[in-house]
């Protein structure tokens, strides 16, 4: 059974932890989204890097965060980052007069990306906590 301190994370380096894991991951996703949407990107960035950052990275970042003492809120923020940043970048591009053509509405993509990220981040959080308990015990 997880204790309350395990769920919230260690308070000793809370701000630094959020800055490193959540902020660092969000900065990488934001940079990739800006490159792909505004500059046209490349085939490598479009197909591999963006999909890896949006879909495959949240479980690993969340597991590393949990292993280093991060809590569930940090993992949830990691999971929500891809969907929220996608909506921000694509929505801001539409606001300046360059709408992105697509078959799905922006809100549906945002919810879908966020759900995938949150589920992956929670799985990563559980994995990171499990490995931490194994290493400590």
């Amino acid at each position: 059974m997880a204790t309350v301190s395990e769920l919230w994370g260690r308070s000793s380096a809370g701000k630094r932890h959020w800055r490193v894991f959540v902020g660092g991951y969000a900065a990488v996703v934001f940079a990739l989204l800006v490159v792909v949407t505004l500059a046209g990107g490349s085939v490598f960035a479009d197909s591999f890097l963006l999909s890896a950052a949006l879909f495959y990275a949240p479980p690993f970042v969340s597991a590393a965060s949990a292993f280093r003492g991060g809590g569930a809120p940090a993992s949830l923020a990691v999971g929500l980052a891809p969907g929220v940043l996608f909506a921000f970048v694509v929505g801001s591009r539409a606001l300046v007069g360059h709408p992105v053509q697509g078959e799905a509405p922006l809100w549906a993509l945002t919810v879908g990306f966020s759900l995938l990220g949150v589920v992956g981040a929670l799985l990563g959080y559980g994995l990171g906590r499990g490995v931490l308990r194994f290493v400590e015990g």
Side-chain angles (χ1 to χ4, degrees), residues 21-33 81 85:
F21 285 100
V22 179
Y25 175 65
V28 168
V29 169
F30 181 74
L32 282 172
L33 284 168
L85 290 173

Side-chain angles (χ1 to χ4, degrees), residues 26-37 45-46 49-54:
V28 168
V29 169
F30 181 74
L32 282 172
L33 284 168
V34 167
V35 166
V36 168
T37 58
D46 286 349
L49 289 179
L50 190 61
S51 63
L54 287 176

Side-chain angles (χ1 to χ4, degrees), residues 11-115:
S11 62
S12 60
K15 289 182 183 179
R16 182 176 183 277
H17 184 86
W18 275 75
R19 190 172 48 247
V20 169
F21 285 100
V22 179
Y25 175 65
V28 168
V29 169
F30 181 74
L32 282 172
L33 284 168
V34 167
V35 166
V36 168
T37 58
L38 299 180
S42 67
V43 174
F44 181 70
D46 286 349
S47 62
F48 178 72
L49 289 179
L50 190 61
S51 63
L54 287 176
F55 304 119
Y56 305 130
F60 296 107
V61 173
S62 180
S65 170
F67 184 77
R68 297 286 298 161
S75 292
L76 287 175
V78 165
L80 287 173
V84 171
L85 290 173
F86 179 80
F88 176 75
V89 170
V90 173
S92 63
R93 182 174 176 173
L95 285 176
V96 296
H98 300 291
V100 177
Q101 301 298 323
E103 295 180 13
L106 181 59
W107 68 266
L109 292 174
T110 301
V111 169
F113 289 169
S114 296
L115 283 175

